[in-house]
Amino acid sequence: MAPQPEKPALQAERTQLSWERSAFSFLVAGALPLFGRGPFDDGRIVLPIVGALLAILCVALGRRRAGRLSAGPKTEVVLLGWATAGFAALIVMFSVV
């Protein structure tokens, strides 16, 4: 018996879940500075805000992307990649200062 082809709806669901996991990781990474002690300096204020905005962007891009699974990596994937790199640079910058 030949293997059954995978249902396209499952692929869209897995893609949406991966975008939501990425959004959750932005929220967690942005919230970590809030658990530190000491005064609220620039890093402890900026990183949670940027993390929340990136999480919202990630969910919006994921919903947009879920409808177009047959297309190759487009604007959404490249935009999220650059946003992740920028957020990582912010974290490094504020942790060094």
Side-chain angles (χ1 to χ4, degrees), residues 8-54:
L10 293 178
Q11 183 180 6
E13 183 179 355
R14 282 194 313 269
T15 300
Q16 182 64 34
L17 288 172
S18 69
W19 284 89
E20 289 173 2
R21 281 192 304 269
S22 297
F24 185 68
S25 66
F26 280 124
L27 284 176
V28 169
L32 285 177
L34 294 177
F35 294 107
R37 294 185 180 184
F40 281 105
D41 57 355
D42 292 340
R44 289 185 65 194
I45 294 171
V46 171
L47 290 176
I49 293 170
V50 172
L53 291 175
L54 286 174

